[in-house]
Amino acid sequence: MTSITNRCRFPININESLRKKLKKMKEELYVFYKRINLVSERVLQAFLRVPRELFVLPNYIKYAYIDEPLPLMDGATISAISMSLLLCEYAELKEGCEVLEIGTGSGYQAALIAEIVCPKDNRGCIIPIRNKKPVCTIEVSKRLYEFGKKNLERLCYLKCIDVRHGDGTLGWPEKDRKFDAIIVTAAGDKIPPPLIEQLKIGGRLIMPLGSGFWQKLIRARKKSPEIDDIEIEYLEDVRFVPLKGVFGAEKK
Ligand code: SAH
C-alpha cells in the first residue's frame, strides 16, 4: 500500500499518539473501501494522499477518519469520506480532466480532485501546468473561502487549484473556460444554466437536486452544444447543505 504522505510544511498540532491512531484508522478505511469495491483504485490512491485531518476544524481532528460529515463554519459540513470519494468516481475523473467544484468548504474535495487529475512526477509530486490550473473551486462564504484556501495552500495545492470567492451558480468567472466535470457540493432545486454552458461536450455534472431533507444525487451528461441536450441519470439519495445564490435552492 502507498504510504500516507504528509506534505504539510507547517507545524500542526497533532501529537505522535494521535498521529499513529489516525494512520491506522485511515489504513483500515482504505482496506474496507477496497473490500466493498466502493470506488476505483485511482480514487482510493487520492484518498491515501490527502490528509483529511488537515481539512477539519481542530476539535474534530480525532474524528477525521470516521466516515461521517463533520461541521465546518457557517452551517457547512465537510462531506462523509465515502461521499467525497463517490463524487470523484461518479464524475469519471482521470488524469488530464479539467474540473470545476461549486462549494469549496474545507478544500478537501478539491484536493482529492487535484490528486486524480493533475500530472505527477516520479516522486508523486504534482507538476504545475503553465498558465492553467486544472482544478477550479468557488465558495460563496467569505470565511469558508479563506479557510479552504488556507488549507489548500499549506499543502501546496494552489499551484494546481484556483480558489475563488463568489456565487458558483453563476459559473466560473472566466466564461470561456470549459470543464470535463463539474461537481456541485450543495443541493439546489435545478441545475444552474451557467454550469451547463461551461460543460464540455461529453462533460459530466454531478449535483444533489431537491430542497427537502433528502435530495437526489444526479449525473447530467452534455450531449451537444444545445443547452437542453443533456442526459440525466439518478445516482442515489443524499443529504447536502442548500445551494445559495442566484440559481440556488429557492427559499420557501
Ligand atoms: N466540498 C466541501 C463541502 C462543502 S459543503 C468540502 O470538501 O469540504 C457545501 C459548501 O457549498 C459550503 O461551504 C457552502 O458555503 C457552499 N455554497 C453554497 N452555495 C454556494 C454557491 N452558490 N456558490 C459557491 N459555494 C456555495
Side-chain angles (χ1 to χ4, degrees):
M1 192 195 302
T2 318
S3 69
I4 293 157
T5 51
N6 181 356
R7 286 176 281 120
C8 189
R9 293 190 186 155
F10 294 76
I12 329 145
N13 201 9
I14 303 181
N15 65 41
E16 207 33 49
S17 104
L18 179 56
R19 200 185 291 271
K20 276 200 190 124
K21 223 179 264 172
L22 291 173
K23 184 171 186 281
K24 187 162 174 280
M25 289 170 87
K26 187 169 187 173
E27 283 169 356
E28 284 170 1
L29 262 187
Y30 169 85
V31 171
F32 174 67
Y33 291 149
K34 212 173 160 59
R35 185 159 54 81
I36 64 169
N37 217 353
L38 181 75
V39 290
S40 57
E41 186 59 29
R42 202 168 38 221
V43 178
L44 285 180
Q45 287 302 318
F47 164 64
L48 287 181
R49 298 179 64 83
V50 182
R52 189 172 188 254
E53 62 274 30
L54 301 188
F55 290 87
V56 299
L57 293 174
N59 283 347
Y60 295 95
I61 290 178
K62 53 182 174 296
Y63 307 123
Y65 293 103
I66 294 176
D67 193 1
E68 296 281 351
L70 295 171
L72 300 170
M73 50 276 256
D74 292 347
T77 52
I78 176 171
S79 304
I81 302 168
S82 51
M83 182 45 60
S84 303
L85 301 183
L86 280 166
L87 291 177
C88 295
E89 187 73 23
Y90 290 143
E92 301 170 358
L93 303 186
K94 55 179 194 295
E95 194 179 310
C97 283
E98 293 182 70
V99 186
L100 170 63
E101 180 200 23
I102 311 299
T104 314
S106 66
Y108 180 68
Q109 183 81 46
L112 288 175
I113 297 168
E115 290 289 350
I116 300 168
V117 306
C118 297
K120 305 211 188 59
D121 65 18
N122 49 19
R123 289 175 309 144
C125 292
I126 290 174
I127 308 167
I129 302 171
R130 196 187 280 262
N131 298 330
K132 197 181 231 177
K133 296 186 183 182
V135 184
C136 297
T137 179
I138 184 162
E139 171 56 55
V140 78
S141 141
K142 189 76 200 282
R143 286 211 300 171
L144 281 160
Y145 158 76
E146 276 157 9
F147 178 68
K149 188 166 180 179
K150 183 200 77 196
N151 293 340
L152 291 166
E153 183 176 20
R154 65 181 187 176
L155 288 159
C156 301
Y157 281 114
L158 296 189
K159 61 184 174 189
C160 61
I161 305 179
D162 196 341
V163 189
R164 305 271 179 98
H165 173 228
D167 176 4
T169 68
L170 299 173
W172 190 245
E174 276 88 75
K175 292 297 166 203
D176 54 342
R177 208 51 215 269
K178 304 277 186 246
F179 299 93
D180 297 283
I182 299 181
I183 298 177
V184 185
T185 65
D189 39 25
K190 56 195 166 298
I191 303 175
L195 298 183
I196 302 175
E197 290 278 351
Q198 285 189 297
L199 261 190
K200 293 183 190 174
I201 310 294
R204 291 80 56 200
L205 177 141
I206 314 297
M207 170 175 183
L209 271 187
S211 48
F213 187 79
W214 293 97
Q215 304 97 36
K216 309 252 173 250
L217 188 68
I218 59 102
R219 172 166 52 206
R221 212 180 281 271
K222 187 163 170 172
K223 310 293 271 182
S224 79
E226 300 293 320
I227 183 113
D228 50 5
D229 193 8
I230 51 171
E231 174 193 274
I232 296 183
E233 290 162 82
Y234 161 78
L235 299 167
E236 58 175 291
D237 281 6
V238 288
R239 261 207 83 193
F240 277 81
V241 300
L243 182 66
K244 299 179 182 148
V246 172
F247 296 104
E250 257 159 47
K251 288 166 202 74
K252 298 247 162 69

